[in-house]
Amino acid sequence: MTQMQSRGALITSTQTGRTGLRLGLLLAGLWLAGCSGTRFVPEGDKLYTGSTVKLKSPYSIPREAEITTELESVIRPKPNASILGLRPKLYFWHMGQGKKKGLGKFLADRYGEAPVLLSQVDTTKVKGLMINRLYNNGYFAAPQVSSPVKAKGATATIDYTANIQRPYTIKEIHFPERDTLVDRDIRKTQAASLLKVGDPYNLNTLITERTRIDDQMKQNGYYYFSPDYLLYEVDSTQHNQVNVFIKVKGSVPENAVQPYVLNRVTLNTRYDLTDTTTRAQAIIYQKYRYVPDEKVFKARAITGATFLYPDSLYRRRRHDQTLSRLMSLGTFKFVDIQFRPTRQKPDSLGYGFLNAYVRMTQLKKKSLRAEVQLVKKTSGFTGPGFTVQYRNRSALRGAEQLLVNLVGAFETRTGDTGTDPETGEKLPVFGLTSYELGVNAQLLVPRFIAPFDIKLRESDFQPRTVFGAGYKYVTRQDFFREDFFNLNYGYSWKTKITNQHDFKPIDLQYIRLADTTATFGQLLQDRPFLAASFRQQFIPASSYMYTYNTQVYEQRRNQFYFNGGVETSGFVASLLSQRNAAGNKEVFGQEFSQYGKFDVEVRNYYRITSDPKSGNKIATRLLVGLGLPYGNSRVLPYLKQYGAGGPNSVRAFLPRELGPGTYRPTNSAEKVTRFYDQVGDVRVEANAEYRQDLFPYVKGAVFVDAGNVWLVNPDPTRSTPDGRNGQFQFNSFFKELAVGAGVGLRVDIEFIVVRLDVAYPLRAPYGSGGSKSFVPNLAIGYPF
């Protein structure tokens, strides 16, 4: 839709203004009516607005919803895109009619869509396709499809109704019966067959069964076998039943019905796509012919990721696993495997022999990358940052990746800081400006380094042992300076593409608070809980996190994401500790944090339509976090506490504006420091969002958010009317959730998403008296 801007003299008369408003509303109404598209329909025709499909039968219809969806998929053409009954793409199309250039032509070509007319619908062809799909689903008893047209004004719909009888079911299943090696091996797969006696006949199931048999054959050495070499003979019987015969075609190449054994496996780590003349001398290592690049790799680094073994039966699973494992090392640009029959070696007992050639094209061993970025944090801090990264892809000649990062940032807190209720002046926020500079390093070793042997032979992904260390210097101007040190050691592995595990038995963090100003020192003195969270900053932690994510299956209509983790601090340190004069435990003269922390995040994405490219979906998320301080700690370390509010949280409230519990800053001094004060040990948050494609690269959203944070132990310095002083209570937390709703606009150009959300608070934890203004959120990426 376009915007209209009037130019001319400014008329201040109230009556004239009202007349102009009425005229504007009238013009807008007429324009919206035009956007419905009906005024673009030629005389004697109608705008086609869609179809429905219904199945009718005197019997129960198995898989009714699935078959209905399959019939809907053959309907052509598709009606014009519609948003709330409006069709703006027709308007853009109309703007370009009769024009060869200009804005109207550009908008028509980019966003326009010609009207889809009733006269363009070939119902005979559509009904023929529907009957074909019904045959494929076992409805052989003369199915019929009717297609009455329903007209309403200048628009029309078509309602398809399929009249069907009972579907044919499978009575008997016969696998190949010849006494040949290939038939015997096919019969061995019957136990896992997708075809079941009594199931309705379904062509898609037959096709999938053929693919399943082919996969099993390739797991048993039949490298040259193909699903096309199998055929079905289906004999119909009386009483709506069929007998299914699976057979191997007679005209199959000899090599397709012969299993193969791997004879020689060559591993070439020096293969170059642009140089086919290189003839490097191979060495024999653990029966492999290895073409080495000893300056980069040791042989065991490559053989450890190779699952094709000389003198073993060819299995496609091992073939695919080798490709995946070698690529996941992160050191190769390309990996491919070629198989060639061994002519010099005679067949043995019906088996053939293959030579395997694994060709690996290396990435550059060392690289240096620098990038400048705009940092936008959920805490509201925004500013430029930079990262300089050095990478060595085989630091110890075993495909170990060494990454060294130099990072820096300048950040300023953005967003409304609130107003003083007495003076109406804007309130400052201490620590508004922040500088940070740091260096960190990671060594990623592509195998488990542990006291016991762990191979994960069934996984497609290379496990990693991760060593990390880092230092970061942070200054909050006019407030304090902090030094961050960290040292960690852990493991990361996948059992399959959807499942990831991260285990850190050692995760040491030490934060030293230094150079505090008098203002911040007074704040810590007034807030003992805040002082404890800042001062107890030696964190000897261990953690485990599990992630399950089906978003990798892009074709799935419903996608699910789960992330759960547990973290403990101080358990091992307490065994080595002694008590100081204050009665707290310490190791090496340093008090340490003690807590247990549990986090769960669940997301679900449901696509409204069956089109996998559609962005129309309902996205939901639930976040639950629980920190339990004990021993030395009455509150979680500040680094580990939760905040609520902001562009990726409850968007109707500012970053960390909520909680803990029903606490709300009531005077100027408290409001000035609320960014540091409004955090907690417990978090509950839920979000629901409907996302809609609007135009190419532009999406809209409507959302509702709810959430808050609480303390495990009450804080007397953060008094609340309910007397709980921010403490979590299971029987009342639901009433203390902040709720907000809003709309959003997103520009999604694949490699970056720019998001603008505007939210309005519906309920605050502290009841009435809160802000009732719209809160804009400008961010990069989706909120979840």
Side-chain angles (χ1 to χ4, degrees):
M1 297 187 180
T2 60
Q3 288 185 330
M4 299 180 63
Q5 182 178 7
S6 59
R7 299 182 180 181
L10 178 64
I11 303 175
T12 58
S13 166
T14 302
Q15 182 177 1
T16 305
R18 290 175 179 172
T19 302
L21 177 62
R22 294 192 188 100
L23 179 60
L25 291 174
L26 178 61
L27 290 173
L30 292 174
W31 183 64
L32 288 174
C35 280
S36 68
T38 55
R39 68 190 183 98
F40 304 126
V41 178
E43 186 176 352
D45 211 335
K46 294 186 182 297
L47 184 69
Y48 170 65
T49 58
S51 298
T52 62
V53 175
K54 184 178 181 181
L55 298 177
K56 291 182 66 177
S57 175
Y59 310 100
S60 62
I61 305 175
R63 302 170 41 249
E64 181 175 2
E66 183 179 338
I67 295 173
T68 301
T69 301
E70 190 172 346
L71 298 185
E72 289 173 346
S73 69
V74 304
I75 297 176
R76 295 291 186 275
K78 300 296 182 184
N80 293 109
S82 173
I83 303 174
L84 300 177
L86 307 178
R87 299 175 180 83
K89 288 188 175 183
L90 293 183
Y91 180 76
F92 289 126
W93 168 81
H94 179 69
M95 291 176 63
Q97 293 303 293
K99 298 179 181 178
K100 295 184 178 179
K101 59 181 180 179
L103 179 62
K105 175 65 174 174
F106 170 79
L107 293 174
D109 293 342
R110 192 67 179 269
Y111 304 114
E113 187 177 77
V116 179
L117 305 175
L118 180 63
S119 59
Q120 297 172 333
V121 182
D122 187 346
T123 56
T124 301
K125 181 178 180 180
V126 171
K127 289 189 291 185
L129 291 171
M130 287 185 174
I131 289 175
N132 176 264
R133 297 301 188 274
L134 292 171
Y135 284 149
N136 292 345
N137 284 277
Y139 292 95
F140 301 128
Q144 297 180 346
V145 180
S146 60
S147 56
V149 176
K150 289 188 177 180
K152 185 178 180 181
T155 65
T157 61
I158 300 176
D159 297 334
Y160 295 93
T161 301
N163 293 279
I164 54 180
Q165 301 298 315
R166 284 177 176 167
Y168 276 61
T169 58
I170 298 175
K171 181 181 179 182
E172 296 176 359
I173 304 167
H174 299 271
F175 271 66
E177 299 176 350
R178 297 177 305 172
D179 188 24
T180 62
L181 185 59
V182 65
D183 281 18
R184 288 199 300 268
D185 284 338
I186 292 175
R187 285 198 297 271
K188 290 177 183 179
T189 74
Q190 185 170 359
S193 176
L194 302 177
L195 303 178
K196 307 294 182 185
V197 172
D199 281 359
Y201 172 91
N202 183 273
L203 180 62
N204 290 332
T205 303
L206 295 179
I207 294 172
T208 306
E209 169 70 1
R210 198 170 64 162
T211 303
R212 183 198 67 83
I213 294 173
D214 172 68
D215 181 70
Q216 289 298 307
M217 296 298 284
K218 284 189 168 62
Q219 304 304 339
N220 289 281
Y222 290 85
Y223 176 75
Y224 293 103
F225 198 80
S226 168
D228 293 334
Y229 297 151
L230 293 172
L231 61 82
Y232 291 103
E233 291 182 357
V234 180
D235 290 342
S236 60
T237 66
Q238 296 180 356
H239 308 297
N240 289 72
Q241 292 181 314
V242 296
N243 294 329
V244 179
F245 296 85
I246 305 172
K247 296 184 177 182
V248 178
K249 291 180 179 179
S251 57
V252 175
E254 182 179 350
N255 62 0
V257 294
Q258 182 180 43
Y260 282 84
V261 172
L262 296 179
N263 175 48
R264 187 174 63 199
V265 178
T266 302
L267 306 176
N268 186 351
T269 61
R270 303 175 59 180
Y271 182 74
D272 190 343
L273 295 176
T274 62
D275 183 7
T276 59
T277 63
T278 301
R279 299 293 182 183
Q281 184 64 37
I283 63 174
I284 302 301
Y285 179 82
Q286 295 182 350
K287 293 188 178 182
Y288 290 100
R289 293 183 73 253
Y290 179 63
V291 180
D293 189 343
E294 287 297 321
K295 294 181 180 179
V296 181
F297 301 109
K298 296 176 182 177
R300 64 182 178 86
I302 304 304
T303 58
T306 302
F307 290 80
L308 299 173
Y309 307 111
D311 302 324
S312 68
L313 192 67
Y314 168 82
R315 301 184 189 278
R316 185 163 63 179
R317 175 79 181 86
R318 299 305 186 191
H319 176 179
D320 296 340
Q321 194 176 14
T322 298
L323 287 172
S324 179
R325 285 285 190 110
L326 289 173
M327 284 301 296
S328 68
L329 290 175
T331 59
F332 298 113
K333 185 186 300 184
F334 305 107
V335 177
D336 77 336
I337 304 176
Q338 290 189 344
F339 295 91
R340 299 170 190 168
T342 305
R343 295 183 177 86
Q344 294 82 2
K345 196 165 184 176
D347 294 349
S348 176
L349 299 177
Y351 285 75
F353 294 90
L354 293 173
N355 287 335
Y357 301 85
V358 184
R359 306 184 303 183
M360 294 158 270
T361 302
Q362 297 179 25
L363 290 163
K364 288 185 178 180
K365 180 181 176 182
K366 299 177 182 180
S367 63
L368 186 66
R369 187 185 71 173
E371 64 180 40
V372 179
Q373 57 211 352
L374 177 66
V375 180
K376 174 67 176 179
K377 297 182 178 178
T378 58
S379 58
F381 282 93
T382 303
F386 71 88
T387 300
V388 178
Q389 182 184 85
Y390 165 80
R391 182 190 294 265
N392 188 323
R393 290 185 169 85
S394 191
L396 306 177
R397 296 174 52 227
E400 303 91 351
Q401 294 204 46
L402 174 65
L403 291 84
V404 180
N405 298 298
L406 177 65
V407 296
F410 169 81
E411 301 173 339
T412 298
R413 174 96 186 277
T414 59
D416 186 11
T417 58
T419 57
D420 191 307
E422 299 176 359
T423 64
E425 297 179 353
K426 290 283 185 181
L427 293 170
V429 175
F430 286 108
L432 186 69
T433 301
S434 171
Y435 308 87
E436 64 179 62
L437 183 66
V439 60
N440 62 78
Q442 277 191 321
L443 180 65
L444 310 178
V445 181
R447 56 188 174 275
F448 283 119
I449 299 177
F452 41 88
D453 187 32
I454 306 176
K455 293 296 186 182
L456 292 181
R457 293 192 178 277
E458 297 306 315
S459 173
D460 287 345
F461 303 92
Q462 196 71 17
R464 296 187 185 278
T465 301
V466 182
F467 299 89
Y471 166 76
K472 184 169 63 174
Y473 166 93
V474 176
T475 294
R476 291 286 163 87
Q477 193 173 9
D478 300 325
F479 223 150
F480 62 80
R481 178 176 66 84
E482 283 184 306
D483 297 296
F484 292 78
F485 302 87
N486 69 80
L487 185 68
N488 57 71
Y489 159 75
Y491 308 98
S492 177
W493 72 97
K494 285 186 175 184
T495 51
K496 53 185 178 180
I497 192 170
T498 57
N499 297 27
Q500 177 159 334
H501 306 259
D502 294 278
F503 174 50
K504 287 185 180 180
I506 299 175
D507 188 6
L508 304 179
Q509 298 178 72
Y510 178 72
I511 298 94
R512 181 174 62 194
L513 181 63
D515 295 343
T516 59
T517 64
T519 301
F520 189 62
Q522 185 63 46
L523 174 63
L524 296 182
Q525 184 176 344
D526 295 339
R527 296 279 190 269
F529 259 63
L530 187 63
S533 68
F534 265 89
R535 287 170 183 161
Q536 290 184 7
Q537 293 289 291
F538 174 48
I539 308 172
S542 300
S543 64
Y544 168 75
M545 183 170 61
Y546 169 72
T547 303
Y548 175 76
N549 186 7
T550 64
Q551 290 179 280
V552 292
Y553 301 126
E554 297 181 357
Q555 300 296 319
R556 284 193 180 181
R557 191 165 181 176
N558 194 79
Q559 298 172 333
F560 181 77
Y561 173 92
F562 171 85
N563 178 269
V566 58
E567 179 180 318
T568 63
S569 174
F571 178 75
V572 176
S574 64
L575 302 177
L576 308 173
S577 67
Q578 57 184 9
R579 294 192 179 273
N580 58 21
N584 292 329
K585 294 181 178 181
E586 60 180 32
V587 290
F588 308 115
Q590 175 67 49
E591 291 187 12
F592 53 88
S593 299
Q594 291 181 280
Y595 63 83
K597 195 165 180 278
F598 309 89
D599 289 279
V600 171
E601 179 178 5
V602 179
R603 306 181 204 163
N604 193 78
Y605 304 89
Y606 178 74
R607 192 173 64 246
I608 301 299
T609 69
S610 58
D611 181 5
K613 296 181 180 180
S614 171
N616 302 345
K617 62 181 64 175
I618 298 173
T620 55
R621 178 179 68 171
L622 174 66
L623 288 169
V624 178
L626 171 63
L628 297 174
Y630 69 94
N632 286 352
S633 305
R634 288 200 66 216
V635 64
L636 290 183
Y638 189 79
L639 184 68
K640 301 294 183 178
Q641 288 185 303
Y642 303 104
N648 295 324
S649 180
V650 186
R651 285 163 277 186
F653 297 84
L654 299 177
R656 297 196 182 185
E657 183 181 1
L658 298 170
T662 58
Y663 170 73
R664 181 191 181 200
T666 56
N667 56 54
S668 298
E670 290 177 333
K671 289 187 175 183
V672 162
T673 59
R674 73 182 184 191
F675 174 73
Y676 295 97
D677 220 14
Q678 294 186 244
V679 290
D681 307 319
V682 182
R683 171 178 66 181
V684 176
E685 185 177 317
N687 314 83
E689 186 169 285
Y690 173 70
R691 299 170 182 171
Q692 170 76 44
D693 290 332
L694 299 179
F695 307 108
Y697 310 114
V698 180
K699 304 177 186 294
V702 180
F703 58 84
V704 177
D705 304 318
N708 203 353
V709 296
W710 294 264
L711 297 170
V712 169
N713 299 308
D715 180 6
T717 63
R718 285 181 277 195
S719 60
T720 58
D722 56 23
R724 287 195 287 271
N725 300 341
Q727 187 179 28
F728 178 85
Q729 295 287 340
F730 189 80
N731 60 357
S732 62
F733 83 93
F734 190 78
K735 299 177 183 178
E736 299 172 6
L737 293 174
V739 181
V743 296
L745 195 66
R746 292 87 190 271
V747 179
D748 186 346
I749 51 177
E750 296 183 359
F751 63 90
I752 189 173
V753 176
V754 179
R755 170 168 55 97
L756 174 62
D757 292 331
V758 179
Y760 185 80
L762 302 178
R763 186 177 76 181
Y766 36 76
S768 61
S771 172
K772 289 297 182 181
S773 59
F774 288 94
V775 177
N777 293 274
L778 181 62
I780 303 297
Y782 288 101
F784 57 92

